[in-house]
Amino acid sequence: MMSEKLLKEFNDQLRYEFESANYYLAMAGYCKDQDLEGFANFFLVQAEEERFHAMKFFNFIDETGGRIEISGFGDPQNDFSSLEDVFTAALKHERFVTSRINEMMDIAVQEKNYACVSFLNWFIDEQVEEEATMTGLINKLKRIGENNHAIYMLDNELAQRTFTPPAGEA
Ligand code: FEO
């Protein structure tokens, strides 16, 4: 059972995770408009991951006897000036999500709610990975610059990305 304060944070985070999926769908749309199908695939897979994150919050709230509440969110950014701009926006967003998860962890620790601490630990690790992925791609894009051949190669590489839920969580 969660305190009202934590329950509100968890329901807010459920919304933020779905909002993240929308952010990444918008980024996939931008990449498709540039005929960069591999980059678009990267963001489509990212959107799937975010829906998976959202459903983890949905299921955890339910399992701990909380009331699930779905609320709306604003329009995502649809226009970008370059691929580097897209990934910079993605990293900024992931950093925001990391700060949210950290704040929730602080509350869970303060309230000695160890079930929430254990649940949030998975997200702490996940955020390290997500930020590293975005940072890695920004660095690659900086190195590549305007080299169309290298962008084509990276597009091919990102076309291979698939979504695989962790074992036992499909
Ligand atoms: Fe659900 Fe990308 O954080």
Side-chain angles (χ1 to χ4, degrees):
M1 193 72 195
M2 270 186 263
S3 66
E4 263 186 41
K5 186 176 178 183
L6 264 181
L7 179 58
K8 182 180 179 316
E9 293 291 336
F10 271 58
N11 269 313
D12 281 351
Q13 193 59 30
L14 172 55
R15 181 183 74 242
Y16 281 124
E17 298 291 347
F18 278 125
E19 189 175 37
S20 300
N22 262 19
Y23 273 43
Y24 292 130
L25 280 180
M27 291 176 185
Y30 169 83
C31 294
K32 277 191 171 280
D33 189 52
Q34 309 284 312
D35 296 321
L36 293 165
E37 290 297 325
F39 282 93
N41 177 63
F42 173 88
F43 284 115
L44 287 173
V45 171
Q46 193 64 32
E48 269 187 78
E49 282 203 4
E50 299 303 346
R51 285 189 291 269
F52 173 75
H53 294 170
M55 290 311 294
K56 275 179 86 79
F57 277 96
F58 183 101
N59 291 327
F60 185 79
I61 295 168
D62 180 48
E63 281 163 12
T64 53
R67 175 74 170 90
I68 294 156
E69 285 184 20
I70 303 296
S71 52
F73 38 80
D75 293 344
Q77 181 179 349
N78 280 288
D79 287 316
F80 302 89
S81 57
S82 64
L83 279 174
E84 197 180 321
D85 187 33
V86 178
F87 281 94
T88 302
L91 177 61
K92 186 173 168 213
H93 182 68
E94 287 303 333
R95 285 183 173 153
F96 167 73
V97 173
T98 300
S99 72
R100 287 270 323 152
I101 300 286
N102 289 344
E103 280 166 25
M104 282 190 287
M105 182 62 109
D106 282 344
I107 301 169
V109 168
Q110 260 170 28
E111 295 187 1
K112 296 186 167 43
N113 188 327
Y114 299 115
C116 287
V117 169
S118 171
F119 174 81
L120 290 169
N121 260 326
W122 186 90
F123 281 91
I124 300 262
D125 294 343
E126 179 72 3
Q127 284 310 118
V128 172
E129 232 180 79
E130 301 244 297
E131 286 193 29
T133 302
M134 299 305 175
T135 304
L137 283 162
I138 289 169
N139 290 341
K140 267 191 191 172
L141 286 167
K142 279 190 203 300
R143 278 202 303 275
I144 285 173
E146 300 291 311
N147 182 335
N148 280 337
H149 180 68
I151 290 173
Y152 174 78
M153 299 285 286
L154 185 54
D155 191 59
N156 273 350
E157 184 186 320
L158 296 179
Q160 310 306 317
R161 188 185 193 204
T162 55
F163 174 62
T164 318
E169 294 202 56

